[in-house]
Amino acid sequence: SIDKAKGMIENRNYLKAISLLKKGKIQKEAFFLLGRAYQGLKNDFHAIFYYKKASQNGIITPNSAKYLSKVYLEWEMYEKSMEFYKKYISLSKVKDRSGILNAKILLKKNKYRNAIKTMKEYLKNNSNDIKARQFELKLLYKAGYKNSLKRKIKYFYRNFKKDADALAFIGNLYMLMAKEFKYKPKLKKEEMPAFFLKEAEKYLKSAYRKNKSNVRALKGLGEYYYRNGKYKKAEWYFKKRLAQNPDQINYLFDYARILLKRKKFDKTKIIFEKIKSKNVFFKEIKLFEAIFHLKKKDEKEALESLINFYNTDANLYSKYLRTPDLGPEMGAIQQLYWRHFKRRDKYDTAVYL
């Protein structure tokens, strides 16, 4: 059963693998495989539980150690994160980037100056580390250091302009800047969303010309055209990205979003069913099923999906209310919520208004 489960995991049949591994008494190696399966389903809580069990039984790999470090960082368990990162370094024999992890921890604590200082120290001896340079740009953006960010983007471009991934990274960073834009008085032209989107298009198209299979460029261009209301073009890029990895859940979800926007209901339903068959823990699917049923004028089904989604993760529901690209759809969803519950949750109302 262990070998059979391994094959299932390699083929991304995570749910079948979990069902098989949980039959009878769980063996030592099964703990590790269950961790891998839950990691594939992006269920961090269960993945961590089984990876820890495997580690206690002496089974740990570079991949599981790296994953544990990443999740513990997200959970703000910084000592654990560093502990497993060091295990990852010793197991994989790769370059020690603990300086970047220290900067990430400081960023999570909102200690921007200390994080920037830590990155400067790391980059003194690692100036050509592309991952470090990418994180430096993210850090400067989060810290709001606009002038430093402009200068560093130019530096990053000069040094890595032959790399399609690097160009796509800059393009997607500009997309993020446009998405998270907050109006302030007396802004310069180069601080407005229209400028960010223009820059995003330039870098993403350049990345695509260098490598037409680059998934970061394909995603970025899909999002760019989606945001600009050119849904046919957005669908083309999301479909091409999905072709690179037809079983990747996020690729399937992005493709389903654009199909739903274009009211291709039959195709959307097929993709939704495929996502659910691969990952029962993918929360957003219920919200988009609610939108799907509303577009088809099926209010009863829409309400059922909405209640299911809201009860699963109310915070995620509130986050989607703030998503500009879903303005009309979330407006309809919110009206459905108010109409049937005849009350307004204070937090959600504040967010919506």
Side-chain angles (χ1 to χ4, degrees):
S1 63
I2 292 291
D3 289 337
K4 196 173 180 181
K6 281 181 183 176
M8 289 174 178
I9 290 168
E10 290 302 320
N11 292 316
R12 295 188 175 89
N13 292 322
Y14 301 121
L15 294 173
K16 286 183 179 178
I18 289 167
S19 178
L20 178 64
L21 289 164
K22 285 188 174 181
K23 285 179 180 176
K25 188 178 179 181
I26 300 176
Q27 301 171 39
K28 285 184 181 180
E29 194 176 353
F31 287 124
F32 174 76
L33 292 174
L34 283 164
R36 273 188 68 192
Y38 279 112
Q39 180 185 348
L41 293 171
K42 299 188 184 300
N43 185 319
D44 293 335
F45 181 81
H46 284 89
I48 289 287
F49 175 81
Y50 285 110
Y51 272 148
K52 277 179 69 179
K53 284 276 188 185
S55 180
Q56 287 162 7
N57 283 283
I59 302 173
I60 187 165
T61 66
N63 174 63
S64 62
K66 187 179 180 180
Y67 175 76
L68 284 160
S69 175
K70 180 186 173 185
V71 175
Y72 280 129
L73 177 65
E74 289 170 3
W75 290 357
E76 299 182 2
M77 298 171 71
Y78 304 126
E79 288 182 9
K80 282 279 185 187
S81 178
M82 187 59 78
E83 175 193 332
F84 280 100
Y85 182 76
K86 285 178 179 175
K87 284 184 181 180
Y88 162 67
I89 295 298
S90 66
L91 288 165
S92 61
K93 309 296 182 187
V94 296
K95 186 176 182 178
D96 187 350
R97 288 190 169 100
S98 54
I100 302 176
L101 180 56
N102 279 322
K104 286 180 178 179
I105 290 169
L106 290 165
L107 175 61
K108 293 279 279 184
K109 293 179 177 180
N110 295 324
K111 295 181 178 181
Y112 300 119
R113 287 187 180 181
N114 291 339
I116 291 167
K117 187 178 177 182
T118 301
M119 280 308 299
K120 278 184 180 178
E121 287 297 317
Y122 176 82
L123 287 165
K124 279 180 183 177
N125 300 315
N126 302 278
S127 58
N128 292 321
D129 187 333
I130 190 168
K131 289 186 180 296
R133 289 293 177 187
Q134 287 175 344
F135 178 69
E136 181 187 34
L137 294 179
K138 285 182 184 177
L139 177 56
L140 291 169
Y141 167 65
K142 290 286 184 185
Y145 286 28
K146 291 183 287 188
N147 293 329
S148 296
L149 179 60
K150 286 179 199 172
R151 192 172 67 253
K152 290 294 183 180
I153 286 175
K154 288 178 183 177
Y155 176 89
F156 184 80
Y157 174 72
R158 280 198 312 271
N159 285 274
F160 303 108
K161 60 185 175 184
K162 293 181 180 179
D163 189 314
D165 246 10
L167 294 171
F169 176 84
I170 299 173
N172 283 311
L173 181 62
Y174 274 116
M175 283 296 296
L176 181 66
M177 290 160 75
K179 188 176 181 181
E180 296 187 354
F181 169 77
K182 291 178 183 176
Y183 178 77
K184 294 177 183 176
K186 298 180 181 179
L187 282 174
K188 297 176 185 177
K189 182 182 175 182
E190 63 269 23
E191 295 172 343
M192 299 293 280
F195 172 80
F196 298 148
L197 289 170
K198 189 177 177 182
E199 290 296 291
E201 181 188 22
K202 179 177 78 176
Y203 286 108
L204 289 166
K205 283 187 173 179
S206 181
Y208 179 70
R209 283 193 295 270
K210 284 189 178 296
N211 182 357
K212 289 182 167 54
S213 299
N214 186 280
V215 291
R216 284 185 175 179
L218 292 169
K219 175 181 169 55
L221 286 166
E223 292 290 354
Y224 171 78
Y225 286 115
Y226 186 99
R227 183 177 175 112
N228 283 282
K230 296 178 181 178
Y231 302 125
K232 188 175 180 180
K233 277 192 172 183
E235 181 185 340
W236 189 87
Y237 282 107
F238 283 134
K239 187 177 182 179
K240 189 171 173 64
R241 177 182 174 231
L242 180 61
Q244 306 300 315
N245 190 344
D247 293 319
Q248 223 285 353
I249 296 293
N250 291 330
Y251 296 6
L252 284 164
F253 181 62
D254 285 338
Y255 186 49
R257 277 197 303 132
I258 193 62
L259 290 174
L260 181 57
K261 195 76 175 178
R262 299 197 70 204
K263 297 184 179 179
K264 295 185 175 182
F265 299 125
D266 291 341
K267 284 186 178 180
T268 305
K269 189 174 181 180
I270 291 168
I271 300 293
F272 279 168
E273 291 303 319
K274 190 172 182 180
I275 291 171
K276 287 192 290 185
S277 72
K278 289 181 174 297
N279 189 349
V280 292
F281 303 105
F282 197 79
K283 298 173 185 176
E284 284 93 335
I285 199 70
K286 286 296 176 186
L287 173 63
F288 280 82
E289 280 186 325
I291 294 170
F292 172 84
H293 291 305
L294 269 184
K295 283 181 180 285
K296 293 194 76 177
K297 312 294 183 187
D298 190 343
E299 197 166 288
K300 185 180 177 182
E301 290 291 335
L303 182 62
E304 187 178 328
S305 294
L306 175 59
I307 292 169
N308 197 321
F309 175 71
Y310 188 86
N311 289 340
T312 302
D313 196 331
N315 289 330
L316 191 58
Y317 171 74
S318 296
K319 178 186 171 183
Y320 269 99
L321 287 175
R322 297 190 292 269
T323 305
D325 297 338
L326 283 175
E329 288 89 347
M330 289 309 296
I333 285 289
Q334 190 72 331
Q335 286 176 14
L336 176 69
Y337 176 87
W338 287 341
R339 194 159 59 246
H340 284 270
F341 293 99
K342 296 181 180 179
R343 66 178 182 81
R344 296 188 178 188
D345 181 280
K346 290 180 182 178
Y347 176 70
D348 285 332
T349 305
V351 170
Y352 181 63
L353 295 175

